[in-house]
Amino acid sequence: MCSNTNLFANSYISSSRIIYTPSSFARTSLLHLQETGTLQAVRPHVSSRQNLQSYLLLVVTSGSGYVEYEGTRYELKAGDLALIDCSKGYSQSSSEDLWSLKWCHWNGNNMPAMYNKIIERGLSLVFHPENSNVYTSLLDDLYKTASSDSFVRNALINELLTRLVTELMKETVYEEENLSESNTELEKIDVAEIKAYIDQNFASKLSLESIADRFYFNKNYVARNFKEIYGTSIGSYIQIARIGKAKELLRFSNKTVEAIGSECGYDDKNYFSRVFKKVEGCSPSEFRKLWTSRSYRAEKSNRK
């Protein structure tokens, strides 16, 4: 349910907001909305909060102001966004050039990990996206959905918040690609070539060192740029490629587990089984049995 405090006003601000109360299922299982709305400053003001179990996205649609967070004061102008972990406390204030804002507060069991990943990938607390309309449109949709009577409202809100987090993650790629002149278009092509090389040769004895040597780059440069562009380490990407191929062979071939492990770059059957179980939660034999039995049942059912 939601409490719509539409057209709230005092001597400092005029705002329209929805204070939303998600269902218990949404609170425990989905990304869920806490509050969303718009604000127009009537005069310069300061508001602050702390210890909120919430994440805030704030978009400046006109004017300018400031956000203070962890001892640093950031200036925001039209088109700027701020992404804040509200558990640490923050304050926001309009300048004399009175700002207007759109915002939402939200949370979810996985949000701490998502937020940390976004920050880890280099997104600044305050940033200027290439297209802020993407965010304002999502905030508008959140407001409309939260104020609707849809019986799947919480699911729709989860979908919109997931899209919001996805856009923020995309923003980290945009920022990383423009960090410095050293990250040129040619160098990004080289990283793509490295990925293509791994895709074609994952069963070989690959390592960061051997890949760096092959492409004549410093291994630290290769590791850093690969992770910036693809969001994972080279070692992890090699493992994903190997396990993906192993799953395909387990399902659609009669080769032994040992032969499949060897074909995917694991000469030691026991080591292959340990890595496979760590990734998939079951052994290669168990994986094959689960998926083969399902296929058999489906075929048997089709013959009736």
Side-chain angles (χ1 to χ4, degrees):
M1 61 179 294
C2 67
S3 171
N4 191 334
T5 55
N6 205 18
L7 301 179
F8 171 81
N10 58 30
S11 59
Y12 295 99
I13 64 169
S14 174
S15 71
S16 176
R17 68 184 67 200
I18 290 177
I19 300 172
Y20 192 81
T21 303
S23 68
S24 58
F25 170 76
R27 189 181 297 276
T28 57
S29 304
L30 305 175
L31 292 180
H32 54 272
L33 184 66
Q34 297 168 324
E35 181 178 305
T36 187
T38 62
L39 175 149
Q40 173 62 60
V42 177
R43 64 173 69 178
H45 67 280
V46 178
S47 62
S48 61
R49 295 183 177 87
Q50 59 184 355
N51 300 323
L52 288 179
Q53 298 306 305
S54 177
Y55 294 87
L56 167 66
L57 182 73
L58 179 154
V59 183
V60 181
T61 53
S62 66
S64 63
Y66 305 92
V67 166
E68 188 164 332
Y69 184 75
E70 294 192 308
T72 301
R73 194 175 194 229
Y74 303 85
E75 182 178 9
L76 288 83
K77 299 179 181 180
D80 287 342
L81 280 71
L83 176 64
I84 301 172
D85 175 0
C86 301
S87 66
K88 298 180 180 180
Y90 70 97
S91 67
Q92 63 189 58
S93 56
S94 175
S95 69
E96 295 290 340
D97 182 18
L98 301 172
W99 67 5
S100 59
L101 309 174
K102 292 188 178 184
W103 83 90
C104 72
H105 282 274
W106 82 100
N107 207 345
N109 285 337
N110 293 327
M111 266 311 300
M114 292 178 182
Y115 180 85
N116 289 338
K117 175 58 69 174
I118 290 169
I119 299 304
E120 175 188 307
R121 292 184 58 151
L123 188 66
S124 302
L125 172 76
V126 172
F127 61 98
H128 190 94
E130 192 172 21
N131 182 9
S132 62
N133 290 335
V134 172
Y135 298 95
T136 55
S137 293
L138 282 170
L139 292 175
D140 289 342
D141 288 343
L142 275 168
Y143 192 99
K144 292 175 185 176
T145 303
S147 59
S148 74
D149 294 325
S150 173
F151 73 98
V152 291
R153 184 171 52 180
N154 285 305
L156 293 172
I157 287 172
N158 173 72
E159 179 183 0
L160 290 168
L161 289 172
T162 300
R163 285 169 54 193
L164 182 63
V165 172
T166 301
E167 291 300 328
L168 290 168
M169 194 66 77
K170 288 180 182 177
E171 208 69 47
T172 66
V173 175
Y174 174 78
E175 296 244 331
E176 288 160 359
E177 290 177 352
N178 293 278
L179 284 175
S180 68
E181 293 181 1
S182 67
N183 208 3
T184 63
E185 197 66 34
L186 176 61
E187 288 170 335
K188 283 182 279 182
I189 292 172
D190 286 334
V191 175
E193 289 176 356
I194 290 171
K195 177 179 177 294
Y197 177 74
I198 294 172
D199 289 339
Q200 295 169 10
N201 299 278
F202 60 83
S204 304
K205 293 186 180 299
L206 296 182
S207 67
L208 173 59
E209 289 76 10
S210 68
I211 292 171
D213 288 345
R214 178 179 179 82
F215 286 88
Y216 305 104
F217 283 113
N218 175 276
K219 69 176 184 179
N220 293 326
Y221 169 83
V222 171
R224 181 178 65 253
N225 281 271
F226 191 94
K227 188 167 186 178
E228 283 180 353
I229 298 301
Y230 296 111
T232 188
S233 69
I234 283 181
S236 294
Y237 187 79
I238 293 170
Q239 179 175 283
I240 290 168
R242 287 174 172 174
I243 296 302
K245 182 62 176 179
K247 289 161 64 177
E248 177 186 329
L249 292 172
L250 286 166
R251 289 187 62 185
F252 303 113
S253 81
N254 293 320
K255 296 178 181 180
T256 65
V257 170
E258 184 174 6
I260 290 172
S262 179
E263 188 171 335
C264 295
Y266 298 101
D267 293 333
D268 185 330
K269 176 184 175 182
N270 293 329
Y271 179 66
F272 168 54
S273 294
R274 288 198 301 271
V275 173
F276 191 96
K277 187 169 185 177
K278 181 179 179 181
V279 174
E280 291 296 319
C282 62
S283 70
S285 297
E286 290 169 336
F287 178 88
R288 168 174 270 173
K289 183 178 179 181
L290 284 169
W291 284 93
T292 301
S293 63
R294 290 179 184 178
S295 298
Y296 171 75
R297 285 197 296 271
E299 292 168 2
K300 187 175 180 180
S301 176
N302 289 336
R303 288 198 298 265
K304 292 182 178 180

